[in-house]
């Protein structure tokens, strides 16, 4: 019994249990709605794993989720709630797109320029939130909610600017080709490339049919860097101390306010990176008019929660999340199951994550009652 | 001139009504010591249930009631997590948001042939002077949705309960010092359950007052951020029913400004105008920084016997 | 064992209670005669509060029976306990500080008219009647946060009496009161008992038991030790029963031999967070090898003074100097650098990070310095070396705790780490704020010894405590703080408890105590 309780105390196991419970509840919802849960399961699995293209797409689509997840997770570590990841992501896509449209340098300059400009935009928005909290004591959640909307309307304004708006579309022109970071972008659409790929179905699937890029590797690298910052450096130590107990941190000579601003700057930069990489590395390479939030940032919060604010955990949570979203679209397409079942599933997983602290206690109680009955 | 002032007031009140319900829910929940970030999700489910029940029964009122109930059910989940299991209230709230918006669209597709938009209700909620018909121009001008009146009544009722009755005294004490309430023999858990569920009911009604009064159907964009704005209104209004009401009016007024300034061939682009409410909020917050008056125990799970 | 009888207000039998695997109470019994004051004596953590919380229905015991007036009762929750005539005044007051006194008193037991509307008139009259009968004067319309601790305690007693309590449990009622307030409390308890009420006081203070109680039950480590008539015992015999061994009631100290002045405060003015000035022109100086004890009742500006000293609060005017250097309105980091370290009363809030490991807490103030940090990266090897040194030097248990979260350590061991960490800073001045709060007797002895050792190493110590005994035992010089300023300074032995208590309550030095 005590073994079982101890195992449940391990965060990883508790998270796996939450995910499994989330699945079970969603399957229950599906069968209650009259769908065949096992068929749905099979469709979901095959829609992720049956073709290299699917796997590649899941990985590519996980990139922004991992990065906004990291952003939220990093802020959590400092005791901040970065609900503004959404706005930071959006503002980064806007700035990256505009920079990518206005300038046209050699790719070696242009690609970093496009990406870094987005990162800076996100960082500034995040840092502004932190500044308002540090200087005026305004709760970061309120500022973030407001800034999300401001970012959204900025995006819509920019997408409609005459200079950049692509006629008969909902957004801007794609950024200049020199800023596009998809792998083999020119080659794969060239005749030569097409001819080569035609004969090789695996590569055809992976390269031609997807927006193959290196973004995922960047996200993984960022996760590792964040992990190092949090656990190995002085700055990370300060931020964690502030996050856990800002009174004690202050008495130990740590500058609480400065750390809040730094932390939000970094969190904003991560969300910004997510947006910038999306513009540079996935097709359309442009911003669209947004009628509602696309949830890239909000989903990051869920990713961070499922990962329990662990940087490395964000990679896996991001992949799971991305896989589910991808599978959800196939569900709808193939057997007519509303894709929103995925949102419900993720919501339920997060709900159980909230409860995981109580898993050991519940099990303990259950066993105690049993042993009493035995007596 | 008079007409445009009246118009501004009408728009302000119209937009603020759903926010008022939701923000009141937030006030009640927070006063009792439970942070409710899941208001958005509860509004979503209310918006959907209100519109679809309204469509199927042909009666908007039954839609409104069912909307409240559906919000209450979702809030019950939040209460179970945050009161009984002492879970992190923010995490649980986010889960509620995901579940609420997911479920409302899922059900919409299920009941409306795969569409995320429901069919329009045959009859919206009545207007205040609806019984007079549309004969008088002047009355048409000030003929507000009934939800505007209801929301004002709800604010006054909440204020009355909160500051004049024993239940209010207990709720306010709960958010400040739950152990004190426990020590005089009042169940903290039960009271918090009631408050959280009430907040869900109000949020659900708020959601439905979008889909049953302002528009006449549920769409994926019907509820997009109002729950969060309501949350901001709670903080802005210093956790007081009247304060939250004024904050909601402020948001509604900003919205009205957007609509009025946006009409015609104005030089200001709509998208820039649309930012106005949010920019104004930040500026106002910066100018009026005050001591935070959040209930001391809000967001902290209460465990019997711990201090 | 005493027979179950109507003559006893409370009788508890075989009370056992565990939290997790830890047995807090093990087969404890209690017999309290009607109309008496009964003390429950035990060290911190002995289980006295748990026992009383069970009686008050806050916890349920794992086994055991409770008899009230000779009848078996099942007190499943506080509501039942209150209905059975039990009232409890907790050590940490159960008062909503934003509410008025009358609101706090009626909470949960409101007289209402239609629609649940609160009618205060009736309850006011009832409360006034109680006030008059027992001399519990307090202004019903003031907000609780504006009251002194002594007055807040009266509100708590009123609350219980208002609910018709015949049995009153007082948990550590004298911990934060002045000698005068304690006299007052004992008088009030007397008038309550005279009126037929029964009182149980939980305490670890022997003097007050001698002064007020008729009988005393002693509990040690969750076990019932003895029930005695107070008049048959001395403080010494009581102490021995409480701790289980002979203890020194007095601290051994080498003679006072001060050096030059290292620390001074001149005409300090500080406002609290509500903008009211609470430190009003305070001046003070401390020499090397001196322990200066700052006595005073809570709420006389100590909190703001401490925060100002550590630069956690803005100073309006005046100066704070360490070794001649002004440090006011710099930063907490600068204060540390100038050689001021602090041990806080509320260590969980101000001293340690509960979710950090022991090792991380050990370097909380050193993480930025070499060799613990090089080029922005933390050096874990050095950190662990330092931590292990503290663990062995200060006998922190368990021995291999460096990677455990500090929240898993006992309060005494947490405090040992804090003290070790602060002393390792080699401070010029150590500010110790209630350094023994919540510790058991063994740990208290240890902390006191460590402070005196530091003093003997020619360091300056500012001891701020609400417990007058601690101040009297340790200090070389005693300063009394009242209403934001120093209201009198004595050399150790120059003044007795009553003189100091008189000044703590705002009396003037040249006025003789009546």
């Amino acid at each position: 019994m005590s073994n079982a309780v101890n195992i449940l105390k391990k965060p990883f196991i508790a998270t796996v249990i939450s995910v499994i419970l989330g699945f079970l509840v969603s399957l229950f919802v599906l069968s209650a709605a009259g769908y065949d849960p096992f068929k749905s399961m099979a469709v979901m699995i095959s829609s992720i794993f049956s073709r290299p293209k699917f796997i590649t797409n899941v990985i590519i689509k996980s990139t922004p989720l991992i990065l906004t997840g990291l952003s939220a997770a990093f802020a959590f570590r400092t005791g901040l709630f970065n609900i503004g990841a959404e706005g930071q992501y959006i503002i980064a896509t806007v700035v990256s797109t505009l920079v990518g449209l206005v300038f046209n340098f050699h790719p070696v300059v242009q690609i970093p320029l496009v990406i870094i400009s987005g990162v800076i935009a996100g960082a500034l928005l995040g840092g502004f939130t932190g500044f308002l909290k540090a200087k005026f004591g305004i709760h970061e959640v309120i500022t973030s909610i407001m800034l999300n909307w401001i970012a959204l309307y900025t995006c819509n304004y920019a997408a409609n600017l005459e200079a950049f708006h692509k006629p008969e579309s909902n957004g801007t022109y794609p950024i200049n080709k020199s800023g596009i970071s998809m792998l083999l972008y020119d080659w794969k659409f060239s005749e030569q490339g097409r001819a080569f790929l035609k004969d090789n179905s695996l590569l055809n699937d992976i390269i031609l049919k997807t927006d193959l890029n290196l973004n995922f590797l960047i996200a993984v690298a960022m996760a590792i860097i964040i992990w190092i910052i949090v656990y190995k450096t002085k700055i990370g130590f300060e931020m964690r101390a502030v996050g856990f107990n800002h009174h004690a941190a202050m008495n130990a000579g740590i500058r609480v306010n400065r750390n809040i601003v730094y932390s939000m700057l970094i969190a904003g930069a991560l969300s910004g990176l997510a947006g910038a990489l999306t513009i540079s590395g996935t097709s359309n390479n442009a911003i669209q008019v947004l009628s509602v939030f696309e949830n890239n940032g909000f989903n990051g919060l869920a990713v961070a929660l499922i990962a329990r604010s662990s940087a490395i955990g964000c990679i896996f949570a991001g992949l799971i999340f991305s896989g589910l979203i991808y599978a959800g679209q196939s569900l709808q397409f193939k057997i007519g199951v509303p894709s929103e079942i995925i949102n419900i599933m993720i919501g339920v997983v997060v709900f159980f994550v909230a409860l995981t602290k109580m898993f050991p206690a519940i099990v303990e109680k259950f066993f105690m009652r049993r042993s009493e009955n035995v007596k | 001139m008079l007409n445009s002032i009246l118009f501004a007031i009408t728009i302000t009140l119209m937009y603020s009504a759903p926010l008022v319900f939701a923000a009141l829910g937030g006030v009640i929940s927070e006063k009792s010591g439970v942070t409710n970030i899941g208001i958005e999700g509860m509004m979503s489910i209310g918006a959907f249930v209100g519109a679809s029940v309204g469509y199927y029964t042909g009666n908007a009122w039954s839609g409104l009631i069912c909307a409240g109930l559906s919000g209450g059910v979702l809030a019950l989940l939040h209460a179970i997590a945050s009161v009984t299991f002492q879970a992190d209230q923010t995490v649980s709230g986010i889960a509620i948001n995901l579940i609420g918006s997911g479920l409302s669209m899922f059900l919409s597709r299920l009941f409306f042939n795969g569409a995320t938009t429901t069919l329009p209700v045959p009859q919206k909620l009545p207007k205040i002077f609806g019984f007079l018909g549309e004969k008088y121009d002047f009355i048409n001008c000030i003929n507000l949705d009934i939800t505007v009146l209801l929301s004002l009544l709800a604010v006054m009722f909440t204020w009355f309960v909160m500051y004049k009755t024993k239940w209010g005294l207990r709720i306010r004490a709960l958010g400040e010092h739950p152990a004190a309430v426990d020590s005089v023999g009042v169940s903290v858990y039960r009271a918090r359950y009631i408050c959280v569920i009430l907040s869900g009911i109000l949020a659900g009604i708020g959601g439905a007052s979008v889909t049953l009064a302002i528009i006449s159907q549920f769409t994926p964009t019907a509820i997009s951020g109002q729950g969060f704005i309501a949350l901001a209104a709670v903080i802005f209004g210093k956790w007081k029913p009247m304060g939250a009401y004024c904050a909601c009016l402020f948001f509604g007024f900003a919205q009205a400004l957007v609509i009025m300034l946006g009409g015609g061939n104005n030089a200001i682009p709509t998208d820039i105008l649309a930012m106005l409410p949010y920019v104004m909020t930040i500026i106002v917050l910066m100018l009026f920084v005050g001591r935070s008056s959040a209930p001391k125990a809000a967001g902290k799970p209460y465990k019997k016997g711990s201090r | 064992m005493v027979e179950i009888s109507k003559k006893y207000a409370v009788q508890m039998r075989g009370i056992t209670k565990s939290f997790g695997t830890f047995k807090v109470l093990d087969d404890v019994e209690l017999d309290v005669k009607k109309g008496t004051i009964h003390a429950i004596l035990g060290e911190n953590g002995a289980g006295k509060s748990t026992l009383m919380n069970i009686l008050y229905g806050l916890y349920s015991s794992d086994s055991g029976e409770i008899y009230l007036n000779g009848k078996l009762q099942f007190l499943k929750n506080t509501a039942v306990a209150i209905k059975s005539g039990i009232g409890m005044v907790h050590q940490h007051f159960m008062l909503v500080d934003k509410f008025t006194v009358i609101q706090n008193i009626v909470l949960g037991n409101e007289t209402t008219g239609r629609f649940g509307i609160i009618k205060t008139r009736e309850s006011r009259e009832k409360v006034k009647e109680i006030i008059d009968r027992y001399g519990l004067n307090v202004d019903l319309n003031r907000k609780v946060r504006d009251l002194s601790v002594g007055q807040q305690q009266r509100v708590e007693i009123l609350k219980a009496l208002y609910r018709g309590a015949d049995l009153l449990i007082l948990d550590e009622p004298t911990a934060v009161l002045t000698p005068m307030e304690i006299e007052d409390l004992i008088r009030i308890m007397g008038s309550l008992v005279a009126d037929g009420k029964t009182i149980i006081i939980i305490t670890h203070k022997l003097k007050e038991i001698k002064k007020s109680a008729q009988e005393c039950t002693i509990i040690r480590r969750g076990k019932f030790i003895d029930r005695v008539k107070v008049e048959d015992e001395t403080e010494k015999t009581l102490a021995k029963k409480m701790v289980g061994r002979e203890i020194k009631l007095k601290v051994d100290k080498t003679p006072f031999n001060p050096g030059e002045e290292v620390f001074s405060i001149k005409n300090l003015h500080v406002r609290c967070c509500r903008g009211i000035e609470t430190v009003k022109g305070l001046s003070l100086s401390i020499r090397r090898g001196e322990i200066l004890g700052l006595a005073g009742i809570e709420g006389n500006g100590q909190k703001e003074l401490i925060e100002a000293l550590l630069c956690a609060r803005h100073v309006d005017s005046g100066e704070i100097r360490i070794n001649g250097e002004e440090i006011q309105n710099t930063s907490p980091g600068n204060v540390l650098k100038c050689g001021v370290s602090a041990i806080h009363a509320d260590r969980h809030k101000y001293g340690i990070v509960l979710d950090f490991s022991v090792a991380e807490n050990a370097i909380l103030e050193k993480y930025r310095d070499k060799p613990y940090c090089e080029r922005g990266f933390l050096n874990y090897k050095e950190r662990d070396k330092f931590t292990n040194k503290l663990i062995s030097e200060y006998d922190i248990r368990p021995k291999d705790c460096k990677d455990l979260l500090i929240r898993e350590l006992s309060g005494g061991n947490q405090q040992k780490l804090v003290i070790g960490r602060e002393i390792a800073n080699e401070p010029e001045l150590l500010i110790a704020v209630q350094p023994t709060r919540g510790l058991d007797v063994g740990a208290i002895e240890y902390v006191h010894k460590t402070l005196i050792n530091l003093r003997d190493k020619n360091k300056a110590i500012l001891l701020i405590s609400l417990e007058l005994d601690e101040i009297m035992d340790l200090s070389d010089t005693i300063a009394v703080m009242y209403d934001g300023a120093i209201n009198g300074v004595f050399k150790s032995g120059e003044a007795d408890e009553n003189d100091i208590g008189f000044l703590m309550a705002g009396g003037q030095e040249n006025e003789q105590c009546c």
Side-chain angles (χ1 to χ4, degrees), chain A residues 187-256:
Chain A
W187 177 80
K188 73 179 175 188
F189 294 117
S190 69
E191 255 174 57
Q192 190 189 1
R194 278 173 196 272
F196 176 84
L197 290 172
K198 215 178 199 175
D199 302 331
N200 191 328
S201 67
L202 178 71
L203 288 183
N204 190 41
D205 228 22
I206 294 179
I207 298 176
L208 187 63
K209 303 235 166 133
T210 70
D211 297 332
L212 189 67
N213 58 40
L214 294 176
N215 291 357
F216 181 72
L217 296 182
I218 297 177
V220 171
M222 287 318 295
I224 294 170
I225 291 173
I226 291 298
W227 181 79
I228 291 173
I229 291 179
V230 168
Y231 287 104
K232 300 286 173 195
T233 68
K234 184 179 111 176
I235 302 173
F237 185 86
E238 288 185 354
M239 284 178 179
R240 281 186 300 137
V242 171
F244 284 134
N245 182 348
H246 67 267
H247 297 285
M250 187 175 80
N251 281 327
I254 296 170
R255 292 188 197 174
V256 173

Side-chain angles (χ1 to χ4, degrees), chain C residues 189-435:
Chain C
M189 291 200 296
S191 67
L192 285 167
V193 172
D195 203 41
K197 311 264 181 204
T198 310
I199 294 176
I200 301 177
I201 57 171
I202 305 173
T203 185
H204 62 264
K205 288 193 180 169
L206 308 164
K207 221 180 306 171
E208 272 120 41
I209 292 180
K210 284 295 286 177
K211 261 192 214 162
S212 61
Q214 282 90 51
E215 287 195 318
C216 175
T217 293
I218 297 139
I219 296 177
R220 192 195 312 148
R221 289 195 190 152
K223 289 214 169 73
F224 172 82
I225 299 299
D226 202 358
R227 189 164 64 93
V228 295
K229 278 210 164 66
V230 172
E231 54 187 16
D232 300 341
E233 303 283 326
T234 63
E235 283 185 31
K236 226 174 175 159
T237 55
L238 283 174
K240 194 178 165 193
K241 281 185 172 146
M242 166 166 83
V243 187
R245 61 184 164 89
E246 297 276 352
I247 56 158
K248 287 191 193 115
L249 290 173
K250 267 275 186 220
V251 191
D252 283 335
K253 243 168 52 176
T254 48
F256 180 39
N257 186 15
E260 80 275 23
E261 178 185 294
V262 277
F263 178 76
S264 68
I265 306 171
K266 276 208 187 87
N267 204 14
L268 194 71
H269 289 265
V270 186
R271 274 172 299 148
C272 72
C273 43
R274 285 195 283 150
I276 302 160
E277 190 174 87
T278 51
V279 177
K280 306 168 181 172
L282 183 137
S283 302
L284 202 65
S285 85
I286 308 178
R287 291 163 287 179
R288 287 190 189 283
E290 177 179 12
I291 297 181
L292 185 130
L294 190 61
I297 313 163
E298 195 172 2
N300 275 289
Q302 292 96 329
K303 187 168 164 264
E304 288 77 16
L305 172 68
I306 296 161
E307 286 173 354
L309 294 185
L310 299 174
C311 285
R313 183 171 287 283
H314 183 80
V315 170
D316 287 339
S317 66
E319 57 188 46
I320 304 167
R321 282 174 192 273
I322 179 95
N323 280 333
E325 192 178 335
E326 284 189 41
I327 56 166
Q328 73 274 11
N329 294 337
T330 55
S331 69
N334 181 54
V335 173
L336 260 177
K337 222 189 295 163
C338 290
V340 179
S341 278
I343 300 166
H344 295 272
D346 190 348
R347 60 179 164 274
H348 288 177
K349 190 168 176 188
Y350 297 106
I352 57 179
V353 179
L354 282 169
D355 292 298
F356 267 4
S357 70
V358 172
E360 282 171 318
N361 273 295
I363 58 156
L364 195 59
E365 289 167 351
K366 284 192 177 337
Y367 72 91
R368 50 177 109 66
D369 304 326
K370 277 189 178 177
Y372 308 102
C373 173
E374 270 163 84
R375 290 193 209 93
F377 283 88
L378 299 175
N379 185 334
Y380 280 21
K381 229 192 236 161
E382 289 294 332
R383 180 192 78 177
D384 291 349
K385 216 163 86 188
F386 175 65
T387 311
N388 283 331
K389 203 178 119 209
L390 285 186
I391 289 174
S392 66
E393 218 168 289
Y394 290 88
D395 191 28
I396 298 165
R397 285 182 204 175
K399 280 273 162 248
D400 52 351
C401 65
K402 76 175 164 51
D403 294 321
L404 288 181
L405 288 188
I406 199 164
R407 67 161 73 242
E408 294 175 39
L409 265 53
S410 72
N413 284 308
Q414 290 173 352
Q415 193 71 329
K416 282 180 184 172
L417 182 90
V418 171
I419 291 174
R421 179 183 80 193
E422 299 304 331
I423 290 177
N425 286 344
E426 300 186 339
E428 295 288 330
L429 172 75
L430 181 72
I431 303 176
V433 189
Q434 303 219 63

Side-chain angles (χ1 to χ4, degrees), chain C residues 33-82:
Chain C
K33 275 195 198 120
K34 251 185 226 175
T36 61
I37 299 177
H38 190 105
I40 296 180
L41 178 66
E43 288 188 59
N44 276 309
K48 352 182 252 294
S49 291
T50 311
L51 184 69
M52 286 302 101
N53 280 330
I54 288 171
L55 179 56
Y56 191 55
L58 273 174
Y59 301 144
S60 56
S61 61
D62 299 339
S63 63
E65 287 138 21
I66 299 174
Y67 300 85
L68 299 180
N69 303 315
K71 259 196 262 160
L72 183 64
Q73 297 273 355
F74 176 51
L75 303 167
K76 63 170 182 178
N77 57 37
T78 24
V80 175
I82 292 169

Side-chain angles (χ1 to χ4, degrees), chain B residues 108-146:
Chain B
S108 170
R109 286 195 201 267
L110 216 56
F111 286 99
F112 293 87
N113 273 331
T116 51
T117 307
T118 67
L119 294 169
V121 292
Q123 197 147 34
K124 296 213 277 182
L125 286 170
K127 305 263 182 186
I128 297 175
F129 301 111
F131 58 90
L132 289 174
E134 291 181 3
K135 281 175 284 185
Y136 312 98
D137 270 354
F138 175 71
I139 294 216
N140 283 340
C141 256
I142 55 163
N143 205 357
L144 294 162
D145 290 321
I146 191 92

